[in-house]
Amino acid sequence: MAATIEIKNLKFTYPGIDGHPPPNSTPLIEDFTLSLKSGERCLLVGSNGAGKTTILKILGGKHMVEQSMVRVLGRSAFHDTALTSSGDLCYLGGEWKRDVAFAGFEVSIQMDVSAEKMIFGVQGVDPERRAELIKVLDIDLSWRLHKVSDGQRRRVQVCMGLLKPFKVLLLDEITVDLDVLARADLLKFLQKECEERGATIIYATHIFDGLENWPSHIVYVARGKLQLALPMEKVKETYNLSLLRTVESWLRKERDEDRRKRKERKAMGLPEFEQRVVGSNVVGAPAGSAARPLNNGWAGGTLHSTIKGEGNFVFSSNRVLRN
């Protein structure tokens, strides 16, 4: 079976302000390789700052990398804009929560608009799927979104994001606002999507209750590097602990190692924390552009990747401008 997500030796760094790589810049993501097939549910774990969100954004087409490094459904998420516009690839994350403000009505989601108007404003939706999601997330269509809680508003947003069937779903801490029942029912729905439709899901979270039997695979990232990627059955056999205790043991070991290194650096008269320079060129730049600065930055809700080309043109994600 062909992989739906294929990452090969991924290397990524954010650019400096001028687009040039600062001296001795350190990649944020380095030597990351992962393959997932249809129907697999991957739990992505790691400490804060490990690189989980960046990896998901790269997969979601929000950062530009060399096309051969990341393939989703056999295509490049950044270069093939039809992949995301078709709904085959769906990314729901923190920025998505803040930036989803409109549903065809030019009304901010924080303003006085009903849940029904938001949800039914998404066109081309299967009515049965919409009804199922409304039930799964226990949404009251009469909710006025400027009055409800963050958790209730989040339910509406998650519902809108999942209305159209996806082939690959990337989730970055999207259940943090949900209560226990809403979260459990949502995870059950997502598992059914994988088992019945063959969808592939990567879910990054720090909340492990109710997840013991949910993932088919677990991926652990530390300092931007893949530490392990194993089927869940293998994890249980190897560590013989609950999911929470297993991940906790990995993170404690990582933290203890970091503390030991800081102590050694302090004893040598060096700063406790190594300076991590943020910024570099895109790896695998187009032919003839190696000497030119590349900007693979991203701003919330905006694709901002540009490449300086011949004749002082700037190639943007959605237009070509003369510089």
Side-chain angles (χ1 to χ4, degrees):
M1 184 185 296
T4 56
I5 294 177
E6 190 75 36
I7 305 175
K8 296 181 179 179
N9 301 317
L10 173 62
K11 188 175 183 180
F12 177 82
T13 54
Y14 287 99
I17 295 176
D18 61 357
H20 290 278
N24 303 317
S25 59
T26 302
L28 181 63
I29 307 295
E30 189 172 17
D31 300 329
F32 191 96
T33 297
L34 177 67
S35 179
L36 293 172
K37 297 179 180 179
S38 174
E40 293 182 337
R41 304 178 301 280
C42 174
L43 185 64
L44 181 62
V45 301
S47 60
N48 297 137
K52 303 185 298 299
T53 293
T54 300
I55 292 168
L56 290 177
K57 285 181 178 178
I58 291 172
L59 287 170
K62 297 182 180 296
H63 294 310
M64 183 173 66
V65 296
E66 187 175 330
Q67 295 190 46
S68 61
M69 289 182 175
V70 175
R71 308 292 289 178
V72 179
L73 299 171
R75 298 143 75 184
S76 167
F78 180 86
H79 298 86
D80 191 340
T81 56
L83 186 60
T84 51
S85 61
S86 68
D88 287 345
L89 171 61
C90 180
Y91 168 87
L92 306 182
E95 286 78 13
W96 174 85
K97 175 187 174 184
R98 291 193 296 270
D99 295 334
V100 172
F102 303 99
F105 295 96
E106 297 185 356
V107 178
S108 172
I109 199 166
Q110 284 82 16
M111 292 179 66
D112 185 6
V113 58
S114 70
E116 181 178 18
K117 194 171 185 180
M118 294 296 292
I119 294 171
F120 281 76
V122 180
Q123 302 298 312
V125 173
D126 177 7
E128 291 186 6
R129 182 179 178 87
R130 179 171 57 206
E132 181 181 11
L133 278 165
I134 291 172
K135 181 179 179 181
V136 165
L137 292 162
D138 194 22
I139 295 172
D140 183 341
L141 294 177
S142 68
W143 282 345
R144 310 304 296 187
L145 296 184
H146 71 303
K147 292 183 178 179
V148 297
S149 69
D150 287 342
Q152 291 170 319
R153 189 178 296 116
R154 171 69 91 166
R155 292 188 200 190
V156 175
Q157 292 176 314
V158 170
C159 179
M160 292 168 60
L162 300 180
L163 282 173
K164 296 184 178 180
F166 50 82
K167 293 181 180 178
V168 173
L169 177 63
L170 310 172
L171 302 173
D172 188 8
E173 286 286 4
I174 58 97
T175 62
V176 67
D177 297 323
L178 303 184
D179 62 35
V180 173
L181 286 179
R183 185 171 174 276
D185 290 344
L186 175 61
L187 290 174
K188 187 183 297 184
F189 171 82
L190 295 176
Q191 183 168 345
K192 187 182 74 169
E193 290 283 278
C194 295
E195 294 174 347
E196 296 184 2
R197 294 201 305 103
T200 304
I201 297 177
I202 300 182
Y203 175 32
T205 185
H206 294 288
I207 305 173
F208 296 100
D209 59 295
L211 277 180
E212 197 69 36
N213 298 311
W214 186 85
S216 62
H217 292 71
I218 187 166
V219 170
Y220 169 41
V221 183
R223 308 177 196 90
K225 294 185 178 182
L226 179 67
Q227 304 300 308
L228 62 82
L230 293 172
M232 195 60 200
E233 293 82 357
K234 186 67 174 178
V235 173
K236 291 179 179 179
E237 292 174 6
T238 303
Y239 295 93
N240 196 29
L241 295 169
S242 67
L243 176 60
L244 173 61
R245 296 307 175 198
T246 299
V247 175
E248 183 181 354
S249 68
W250 296 340
L251 297 184
R252 285 191 183 279
K253 183 178 179 181
E254 177 189 337
R255 187 185 65 180
D256 291 345
E257 179 66 14
D258 287 342
R259 286 176 173 175
R260 183 188 62 79
K261 289 181 178 180
R262 292 201 301 269
K263 186 175 181 180
E264 290 178 353
R265 289 178 61 83
K266 187 176 181 180
M268 296 170 62
L270 299 172
E272 287 190 43
F273 293 91
E274 294 183 64
Q275 186 177 8
R276 189 177 180 85
V277 181
V278 177
S280 182
N281 284 347
V282 176
V283 176
S289 65
R292 300 183 181 91
L294 300 179
N295 179 356
N296 62 333
W298 179 86
T302 307
L303 285 176
H304 189 61
S305 297
T306 56
I307 303 176
K308 287 279 188 175
E310 298 293 343
N312 292 323
F313 281 97
V314 174
F315 296 86
S316 183
S317 59
N318 57 0
R319 60 189 182 278
V320 180
L321 307 173
R322 184 179 295 276
N323 192 18

